[in-house]
Amino acid sequence: MSKVNFSFKIEELSPVATWCNSLLKQYQVDFKDYSTDFADPYPTDIDTKIIKVNELISTKLFIGELSTATQKLYKNMEATRPMLLQLEGYIKRAENNLTTPAKSFDLKLLRKCISSKDAEGFNMNLKSLLQLVNANASVLQDKGMKPAMLTALGDILTNNYTYAQDQNNKMLDKEKAVKENADILTDLWKDCQNILDAGKRIYKYSNPDMLKNFTLTHIRKTFNHSNNKKDNDNSDTEKAE
């Protein structure tokens, strides 16, 4: 079984391949002059491979399911922030009456786990926090903490264990599917490499301005920027509505 050999996301392969093949079609005269490898039906064959990879990604690689699971996990972690802000105030006000030093609650570390999307660290540190809050519940409640906050934080922890496991399962499913279909993905990537390599050799001296179009970094940056702009435009439209 082959191994997928590129360092970007699987779902980026199709846009990269589409970009490369578009350049090949647009400048096919130059490419054919460089090597007959690029003559017809090479571009058409690549189009067929792109369709095959798109079908694979949409039906077998669980990318949509993984994305949904990941969003649920991160949204659940983010929901902790407003409560942490309030809890921090209660801890500060009850500092002289706590059974452990206020710094032991370590809300900073928990926030760091949220920011870095570290689900395992989040679970471990929220569990420790809840133990400390429970041990000091009466003192903190005297300063205004509601029992509902403790319940809500406990629910977030329970949900996070579930969501993290779901995300892990989806990741394992995706990895298995990628390995099973590595030949298809790698074959299209080799075509991309072939076009990128030839483009650099053709245009390095004859048309240096074209070189960036055959650089993977530029390609990914361009379509990622385009996708981000599209998301922002859609967001603005939703707000206007």
Side-chain angles (χ1 to χ4, degrees), residues 153-168:
L153 288 171
D155 290 342
I156 286 176
L157 179 60
T158 300
N159 289 337
N160 225 64
Y161 280 121
T162 301
Y163 296 154
Q165 185 60 53
D166 187 38
Q167 183 200 43
N168 186 59

Side-chain angles (χ1 to χ4, degrees), residues 28-158:
Q28 193 174 9
V29 172
D30 294 341
F31 275 84
K32 284 196 293 184
D33 183 59
Y34 172 70
S35 172
T36 55
D37 287 350
F38 297 102
D40 293 331
Y42 189 59
T44 304
D45 290 342
I46 293 177
D47 281 333
T48 301
K49 293 177 184 180
I50 291 172
I51 291 171
K52 194 171 183 179
V53 165
N54 283 337
E55 289 175 350
L56 176 64
I57 287 174
S58 63
T59 60
K60 294 183 180 179
L61 296 192
F62 307 98
I63 288 171
E65 294 178 26
L66 175 57
S67 177
T68 299
T70 300
Q71 288 174 9
K72 286 170 68 175
L73 175 65
Y74 295 161
K75 185 177 180 181
N76 187 63
M77 291 165 66
E78 284 289 339
T80 315
R81 288 191 188 274
M83 286 180 278
L84 294 182
L85 184 63
Q86 291 191 16
L87 179 59
E88 189 173 43
Y90 299 137
I91 293 169
K92 184 178 179 180
R93 286 166 175 76
E95 188 169 6
N96 293 331
N97 299 312
L98 297 172
T99 59
T100 54
K103 64 180 181 180
S104 299
F105 289 77
D106 209 349
L107 302 186
K108 183 178 179 180
L109 182 57
L110 188 55
R111 288 182 175 120
K112 185 177 179 181
C113 291
I114 298 171
S115 297
S116 61
K117 296 178 170 54
D118 176 8
E120 185 177 351
F122 177 87
N123 290 343
M124 181 176 67
N125 286 287
L126 181 54
K127 182 179 179 181
S128 296
L129 175 64
L130 283 169
Q131 290 172 345
L132 288 173
V133 172
N134 268 310
N136 292 274
S138 60
V139 176
L140 293 169
Q141 286 173 16
D142 285 344
K143 297 299 180 180
M145 186 188 79
K146 310 295 187 296
M149 177 182 288
L150 200 54
T151 302
L153 288 171
D155 290 342
I156 286 176
L157 179 60
T158 300

Side-chain angles (χ1 to χ4, degrees), residues 6 8-15 57 61 63 174 223:
F6 44 87
F8 52 88
K9 296 177 181 177
I10 299 293
E11 53 267 38
E12 291 180 323
L13 175 59
S14 178
I57 287 174
L61 296 192
I63 288 171
K174 178 186 173 183
F223 70 68

Side-chain angles (χ1 to χ4, degrees), residues 171-226:
M171 289 174 70
L172 292 174
D173 288 341
K174 178 186 173 183
E175 288 173 9
K176 180 182 177 184
V178 167
K179 287 179 181 178
E180 290 173 349
N181 296 278
D183 289 340
I184 297 171
L185 299 167
T186 301
D187 187 37
L188 181 57
W189 172 233
K190 285 180 179 178
D191 287 322
C192 294
Q193 289 177 302
N194 191 26
I195 295 169
L196 295 174
D197 177 79
K200 291 170 187 172
R201 298 180 191 282
I202 293 167
Y203 297 111
K204 181 171 183 179
Y205 295 108
S206 65
N207 191 350
D209 290 340
M210 282 282 289
L211 269 185
K212 66 181 181 181
N213 293 319
F214 297 94
T215 304
L216 185 60
T217 301
H218 173 73
I219 296 170
R220 293 179 65 212
K221 182 179 179 181
T222 300
F223 70 68
N224 284 333
H225 174 75
S226 177

